[in-house]
Amino acid sequence: MTMPDSPAVAVSVLSADFAHLDVALEAVRSSGADAIHLDVMDGHFVPNISYGPAIARDIVRASGLPCHAHLMVDDPERMFPAFVAAGATEVVIHVEASGDLLRVLDALHRAGVARGLALNPGTAIETLFPLLDYVDSVLVMSVEPGWGGQSFLPEAVGRVRRLRDEALRRGLSLRIAVDGGVTLENAAALGHAGADAVVVGSAFFASPDRAAFVASLRGVG
Ligand code: DX5
Ligand code: ZN
């Protein structure tokens, strides 16, 4: 069982005040977080709509941090090139999305960006197993995608463990990240189960001391 000393921390800016995005980005930068997590919602794959590639590009440029695009969209093949062009260093598509996922993963690889696959809480973790040779990371959703600020679904811990076991059995150096409702209370269990990154949105922005919050998240492994 892998037990990372120091899980990477990506901040979802979904819960930021978009009227003051510069303030939010400075908060992320000065917190020492590793990356920014961009939640892209199309109103079809999930009922909500967030933002598209133009805003993603501005965040990439203004933040100076690696930015991961989490595409909660149908037909990611049509959408992903705009996020690669926007400067995302990793593009994550959903295993439940329509279209030829392997073709998208191959195109992402050829474009030189990291390839991630996300899966919803209701999707069997084994669905991913045939695809693990073609990805750099898996994003285990610990809430139903669509909104920030939801409560963590504790089944995610066991799902991370099953995925880590499978990756170890096959000798894959898979990065496993967890997204949704992550707090200091549940991050330790995720780290012990084999997650090496967490995404935090509302808990980050609600924290009075973001640098201390990020340091504590890293300390839980
Ligand atoms: C949910 C998003 C998450 C989420 C993270 O659809 O993928 O990234 O907003 O935010 P919190 O930490 O508030 O759940
Ligand atoms: Zn996300």
Side-chain angles (χ1 to χ4, degrees), residues 26-51:
E26 180 51 31
V28 178
R29 239 190 333 261
S30 60
S31 74
D34 300 278
I36 288 183
H37 179 93
L38 300 169
D39 284 307
V40 179
M41 305 180 185
D42 67 350
H44 293 281
F45 184 77
V46 290
N48 200 6
I49 294 178
S50 57
Y51 51 79

Side-chain angles (χ1 to χ4, degrees), residues 11-28:
V11 175
S12 163
V13 289
L14 193 60
S15 312
D17 179 350
F18 272 70
H20 302 283
L21 199 48
D22 52 343
V23 175
L25 295 180
E26 180 51 31
V28 178

